[in-house]
Amino acid sequence: MKPTLAKTSLLLLLISIITFGCEKSSNNGNEKSDTGYSGPVTGYIVGSFICDEKDGETGKVIGKQTDRAYCILLENSENANSEWPMDFYTFDLPDNLYAIPDELLSPGYEGSNCGPHFFPDSLRYSYKINFKFQKNDSVHFVCGPCTAMELSFPWDDFDQILVRDVSKE
């Protein structure tokens, strides 16, 4: 009789572990999905920049410019009224998402520009997007001599991201 009781107890224990031991996760935009992307989230394109690419290992400029990157401010962000109103930047927004006028985009590359060019406050919320994102620092860059000397724009305070499933709102 004792072996039957032990087997029954063991079976109940295993069923309890299987039933209650698995934690369910709801992806509410702050958690990562199986693909490693967080979201979906809502934000705004608030600026852009073009800089010099550099080698990720040596840190030396490699003689070509980055693609245009876009600054993204998340909806209800604490950074909305800061000196630098952005949360992330990305080099992979689809080109056909918005027809942003040239005068809003950062001017062509110039070596003295150390940070992004932000849109005027009156247009800060004009380019609304929904997207999923993943942190990624695959593009290494330096923007002007200020960044090289670490005296200007605080690039380390902002994450580079990859975006996907981007749509206008």
Side-chain angles (χ1 to χ4, degrees), residues 4 8 20 26 36 38 44 66 69 75 86 92 95 103 109 113 124-125 128 145 151 162 165 167:
T4 305
T8 304
F20 300 109
S26 64
S38 296
Y44 304 90
T66 63
E75 190 167 59
M86 66 185 248
D92 67 342
D95 290 333
E103 60 269 12
Y109 174 80
N113 182 4
R124 183 170 294 164
Y125 301 106
K128 192 171 186 177
L151 297 175
L162 296 174
D165 300 336
S167 62

Side-chain angles (χ1 to χ4, degrees), residues 1-13:
M1 192 99 123
K2 287 184 180 181
T4 305
L5 181 61
K7 288 180 185 176
T8 304
S9 297
L10 182 60
L11 181 62
L12 289 173
L13 177 64

Side-chain angles (χ1 to χ4, degrees), residues 51-123:
C51 293
D52 285 316
E53 280 195 46
K54 67 179 185 177
D55 182 277
E57 292 181 22
T58 67
K60 293 184 179 185
V61 175
I62 60 175
K64 76 178 213 178
Q65 294 176 351
T66 63
D67 291 333
R68 179 167 303 282
Y70 292 92
C71 306
I72 299 173
L73 177 67
L74 293 175
E75 190 167 59
N76 300 317
S77 171
E78 293 177 1
N79 292 335
N81 295 315
S82 73
E83 185 175 357
W84 297 293
M86 66 185 248
D87 292 298
F88 303 116
Y89 59 92
T90 186
F91 290 92
D92 67 342
L93 270 184
D95 290 333
N96 62 353
L97 188 62
Y98 278 106
I100 300 174
D102 289 340
E103 60 269 12
L104 286 183
L105 298 174
S106 61
Y109 174 80
E110 62 166 291
S112 64
N113 182 4
C114 298
H117 174 77
F118 292 105
F119 301 163
D121 289 349
S122 62
L123 298 173

